[in-house]
């Protein structure tokens, strides 16, 4: 079992004992998503920490999007619940890069690869994502790559 999955399980048990309903339900949901990812494909397998992190990132993004949708629909209570769940998941994710740090990393990756112009957007994104290494959302990275390539 991966250490991140062990940590999620241990934290969920602690939250259960402490009767912290928000943390318990959020971590149960996260562990269920990890379990679903483990059985996806032809055979069940254990996920690595990086794969568990990818699942948690996807779940956190879902929470942010749902909070925005509920807030736009005037359902403040449900939006607050989704935001709180997102904050619980953020404890397990790497610290997100600031805009200045993101700009610096992307410009370094683009310079190293010699990427210029629209035709090289795909390889440029691949290099930028590798440089960022999960510390920023793909949308933010793509926007910065487009801006620096002049698209």
């Amino acid at each position: 079992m991966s250490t991140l999955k062990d940590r999620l399980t241990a934290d969920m048990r602690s939250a259960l004992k402490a009767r912290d309903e928000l943390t318990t339900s959020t971590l149960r949901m996260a562990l269920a998503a990890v379990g679903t990812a483990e059985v996806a494909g032809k055979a069940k397998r254990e996920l690595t920490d990086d794969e568990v992190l990818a699942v948690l990132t996807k779940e956190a993004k879902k929470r942010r999007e749902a909070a925005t949708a509920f807030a736009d629909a005037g359902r403040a209570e449900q939006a607050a619940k989704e935001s709180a769940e997102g904050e619980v998941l953020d404890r397990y994710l790497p610290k997100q890069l600031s805009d200045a740090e993101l700009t610096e990393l992307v410009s370094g990756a683009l310079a190293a690869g010699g990427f210029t112009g629209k035709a090289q957007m795909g390889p440029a994104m691949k290099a930028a994502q590798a440089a960022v290494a999960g510390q920023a959302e793909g949308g933010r990275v793509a926007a910065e790559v487009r801006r620096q390539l002049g698209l």
Side-chain angles (χ1 to χ4, degrees):
M1 196 184 262
S2 70
T3 56
L4 183 54
K5 185 177 174 187
D6 289 338
R7 188 172 143 216
L8 287 169
T9 304
D11 289 353
M12 186 198 64
R13 287 186 180 137
S14 298
L16 191 61
K17 289 176 184 176
R19 298 189 188 279
D20 182 351
E21 292 180 22
L22 174 70
T23 303
T24 303
S25 66
T26 303
L27 293 181
R28 273 190 180 144
M29 171 272 311
L31 286 167
V34 169
T36 301
E38 286 178 336
V39 297
K42 295 185 186 232
K44 184 175 192 236
R45 64 186 183 85
E46 290 289 324
L47 297 180
T48 65
D49 273 351
D50 289 339
E51 292 169 324
V52 172
L53 198 60
V55 171
L56 291 179
T57 302
K58 185 187 286 186
E59 291 299 317
K61 182 178 179 191
K62 285 181 189 177
R63 298 295 162 273
R64 280 191 299 277
E65 290 172 351
T68 303
F70 282 126
D72 291 346
R75 297 183 60 191
E77 185 177 309
Q78 192 66 29
K81 180 180 182 278
E82 294 289 340
S83 293
E85 287 179 357
E87 289 170 12
V88 170
L89 292 174
D90 285 342
R91 297 179 205 160
Y92 301 94
L93 299 175
K95 180 183 160 287
Q96 296 292 299
L97 296 172
S98 69
D99 290 338
E101 293 169 326
L102 179 62
T103 300
E104 186 178 319
L105 281 174
V106 169
S107 64
L110 294 180
F115 300 112
T116 57
K118 184 178 184 178
Q120 297 176 322
M121 179 68 180
M125 270 301 295
K126 190 172 184 176
Q129 286 287 26
V132 170
Q135 294 179 321
E137 284 185 16
R140 285 182 62 206
V141 176
E144 185 59 31
V145 169
R146 278 192 211 97
R147 187 186 70 75
Q148 290 191 21
L149 288 178
L151 304 179

